[in-house]
Structure formats: C-alpha cells, structure tokens
Amino acid sequence: MKVRFIFFSISLIHSICLFSQEIITPKEAISLALEHNYGIKIANNQVEVAKNNANILNSGYLPTLTGNANASIDRQNTEGQLANGDTRVATGAETRRYNASINLNYVLFDGLGRSYNYKQLKESQQLTELQARETIENTILQLFTVYYNVAELEENTNSIIQALEISRDRVVRAKYQFDYGQETKLALLNAEVDINNDSINLMNAEQQLKNFKRDLNLVLGNTLPDNFDIDTEVEFNQLMNKAELLEKAKVYNTALQQIEKNIKINSLIVKSEKSAYLPTVGLTGSYGWNESNNNSPLAFVLQNTNSGFSGGLNLTWNLFDGGNTITRVKNAKINLETQNIQKEEFLVTLERDFNNAWEDYQNKLAIFRLQEDNIKTSQNNFDRTHEKFKLGQLNSIEFRQAQINLLRATLTKNQAKYAAKIAELQLLKISGEILNVDF
C-alpha cells in the first residue's frame, strides 16, 4: 500500500501543477515574441537607424552654416622717425583685434551624385526593413519549432504518465495475487521493474520538457511565468495550392526581395560613380565683422571697424583624376552584373528548396495520417490484451509488450504530428507567407 500511496501522491501533485499552469496559445506566443524577442528588438533598432540615415538631414541637400570668432592682443615697444626728423617712442603700445563671421556653403550641382546617394539611402532603408522582416520570419519559425517541441513533450509526458498508472495498477494486482498465492514472486518483481522503468522514463521526459520550456521562454524574451502550459491542438492547412504557392515564393520570398533591392542599390551606385564625370557648382556667402584698436602714438588710425556681406559661385571640374573614376564605374558595373547572376542562381535554388519543402510537408502529413490509424490499431490491441490479462489468459510479458507497443505508437504519432506542422511552417516561410497565416 505504501507504493500505491507514493504514486497516487505523484499523480495528484502533477495534476495540480497542470491545473494551475497558464496556457500560452500560438497567438499569444507570437505577440510576446514580436514585443520581447531580443533579436527582433535589435532588428527594429536597425530599422530606426536606417530611417535616420535616409532623412533629408543626412542627404547633403541642405546648406552648411558655420560661425567663426577671434580676438587677439598685441603689445610691443616701437620707435619711429617722422618726416621732419623727430623721433617718437611708443613703449608698451597695445593693439587689440576682434573679428566674427558667419559662413554659408551650399552645393548647387554635383553631377547628380547627391541625388543618387539619397536614393541609395532610401533603398537601403527598405533593405533594412526586409532584413528585419526576415529576422521576424526566422524568429517565428524558431518560436514554433520550440513551441511544438514543448507540445510534443507534453503529450509524451502525459502518455508516459498513463503508462505509469497502468504499471502501478499492475504492481498492486500482482501484490494481491502473490499474497493470495495466485501469482509467483517473479511476476511481482517483473511488475516492479517495469514500474521503475516507467518512472525513469517519466523523469527524463519531464526534464526534457523543462529544458524546452526554458528555450521557449528565451525566444519570448523571458516573459513567461515559471509555470505555464501550451495549446497542443494542431490544425493543418489543407487548401494550399502548389503552383500558386510557388508563384508567391518568386515574388514574396524575403531573401529574394533583398537580392532585388541590392540590385537597385547597385544600379544607383553605378549612376553615382558616373556623376564624378560632371562638374560641381557651389554657392558661398558670409557676413563678417572686424574691429582693430591701437593706442600707439605712431599709428595713423587708432580704431578701425568694418563689416559686410560677401558671396560667390565656384565651379570645380575634375577633368582627369588618373583613372580612378573610370575604375570605380567599371567595378560598379561588374558588381551589378554579379547581383543579377546571384538572382538567377537564387531563383533556381528557391524553386528546388520549395519543391523539397512541399514534398517533405506532404510526406510528413501522410505519415501522420497513417500514424493516426496505427494508434487506433495499437489501442484496440492493447485493450484486448488488457482484458485477457485481467482474466489470466495472458502472462505479464505479453501484456507488457502490448503496453510498450501502444506507448511507442503514441510517441511516434506525436512526433509525426508536430514534424508535419513544422514542415508546413518551413514551406510557408519559403513562400513568404508565414507572417500571413492565422495561428
């Protein structure tokens, strides 16, 4: 009775823990990840930096305005001879000078290089947004890979608990039968060995479950409580059309969109480098104030003050820079050609990866359907074996084998279910549709 009480207590505690745990649904998990995942936070900050870089304040279209000011004091001993022959001496003659100015510089035309550079910044901002989107897609896929691993382990743990309950009842039954002389000591020992094995399996499963829950919490930015559960219900998308999904992949795949964005940026780089062939026209203007004070008796003017505006245009034309511009233009064109080649290669690779993902999903989904049928057969076989075992028509070894077969079938079915769901999400990610799915 002591053994029975111990396992009853374990089951009761486990039931209470499950009852008190908060259930995290897929929608809640996505919401938490988008708000708290560290990688997504970093990606969002990078988008903000790109927005700042693409601002008019960083475009070069605005003028520059600088202010300068200076003050100096000059003290000297001076001796001078006048025209009439007189000699004058100035001891400690002091000269004070003050000046201040505001200077304006504005590039009116730089061969359109500024325009192309600004367009590059805008395209780079969009590229960063695509990179952030890819980070979110990868995080969502990582999230549900861990999420469904937790779901699989939860179902596995529950199945092992059921197996442990059956083994516990078998121990109790064998003990009673042994006490009344209806069974040998060997049967009781076999039952105790089996319940110990089931207990070990449960301990291992629960430890794995805790580890994966910590992994899930990490993906969600460590926002989950200590005790939480997840929704193990899984629905598969049965309405996907292969041809339609492939066309979406060729348009909305995030990696492909980044390559296309890089092609646009490189085409602008070619134009920007060509702008060095044209002259640069600039506008300059300034307002200055100067004052000079001199107390020397030899000075003709004791104080001098002037102020005013000045302005002008300047033209700079680099007629030949030793071939540097020509080299940069050639290299920019080669880089653009390389980007187009990479796009062609990626389209071939994308179609291959899509076909692999599609067939992998269909195969795993079919395996899961077969495992669902197999679990029914295994359950029916176990139920019949259990009844015969109760009637004494089967020995404990045959009963244990049927129990193990049912547990294996259950674990295999659980694995097949979540493997099929993860394969579906991988297919949707390749197609650029993972963020458009209603979880």
Side-chain angles (χ1 to χ4, degrees), residues 4-55:
R4 183 172 185 176
F5 176 75
I6 292 174
F7 284 104
F8 175 77
S9 301
I10 293 175
S11 302
L12 180 60
I13 293 173
H14 190 273
S15 300
I16 293 174
C17 291
L18 290 178
F19 181 77
S20 62
Q21 289 176 348
E22 177 184 354
I23 296 180
I24 306 299
T25 64
K27 288 184 178 180
E28 291 173 339
I30 291 177
S31 179
L32 290 171
L34 293 177
E35 184 177 359
H36 300 287
N37 179 266
Y38 299 110
I40 292 178
K41 285 183 177 181
I42 293 173
N44 290 335
N45 285 341
Q46 292 171 342
V47 171
E48 291 301 316
V49 171
K51 287 181 180 179
N52 293 335
N53 290 336
N55 192 279

Side-chain angles (χ1 to χ4, degrees), residues 109-111 275-282 313-319:
F109 178 76
D110 66 344
S275 67
Y277 292 134
L278 300 176
T280 299
V281 180
L313 288 173
N314 59 69
L315 182 143
T316 303
W317 197 340
N318 194 347
L319 299 177

Side-chain angles (χ1 to χ4, degrees), residues 30 133 136-142 144 254 424-439:
I30 291 177
R133 176 184 167 186
I136 294 174
E137 290 180 348
N138 290 334
T139 301
I140 296 301
L141 183 59
Q142 178 193 14
F144 281 109
T254 309
E424 177 188 297
L425 294 174
Q426 291 172 334
L427 175 63
L428 292 173
K429 181 185 179 300
I430 292 176
S431 305
E433 290 288 295
I434 192 170
L435 300 182
N436 300 325
V437 178
D438 185 10
F439 291 95

Side-chain angles (χ1 to χ4, degrees), residues 123 126-127 129-131 133-134 137 248-264 343 346 350 432:
E123 295 293 337
Q126 296 176 16
L127 175 61
E129 291 173 351
L130 287 172
Q131 291 170 345
R133 176 184 167 186
E134 185 177 33
E137 290 180 348
K248 287 184 177 181
K250 293 180 180 180
V251 176
Y252 300 112
N253 180 272
T254 309
L256 176 60
Q257 288 182 325
Q258 291 180 58
I259 292 177
E260 292 173 342
K261 190 60 63 177
N262 278 318
I263 290 176
K264 290 183 179 180
K343 179 181 178 181
F346 184 82
L350 176 63

Side-chain angles (χ1 to χ4, degrees), residues 141-151 212 215-216 219:
L141 183 59
Q142 178 193 14
L143 165 65
F144 281 109
T145 299
V146 180
Y147 184 92
Y148 288 126
N149 282 333
V150 173
F212 273 99
D215 292 340
L216 179 60
V219 177

Side-chain angles (χ1 to χ4, degrees), residues 159-223:
S159 298
I160 295 174
I161 290 174
Q162 293 177 4
L164 182 60
E165 290 293 327
I166 295 172
S167 297
R168 185 195 68 191
D169 292 338
R170 180 179 154 209
V171 168
V172 174
R173 177 183 294 272
K175 183 174 177 54
Y176 282 139
Q177 289 177 338
F178 175 73
D179 290 340
Y180 288 100
Q182 298 176 352
E183 192 61 87
T184 63
K185 181 68 174 180
L186 180 61
L188 177 59
L189 293 175
N190 287 335
E192 290 177 346
V193 169
D194 292 337
I195 199 172
N196 286 336
N197 289 332
D198 291 341
S199 299
I200 293 172
N201 292 336
L202 178 59
M203 291 173 62
N204 290 332
E206 288 180 336
Q207 184 59 51
Q208 281 187 304
L209 179 58
K210 290 178 181 178
N211 292 341
F212 273 99
K213 281 189 173 183
R214 294 188 187 100
D215 292 340
L216 179 60
N217 203 2
L218 178 61
V219 177
L220 299 180
N222 200 33
T223 56

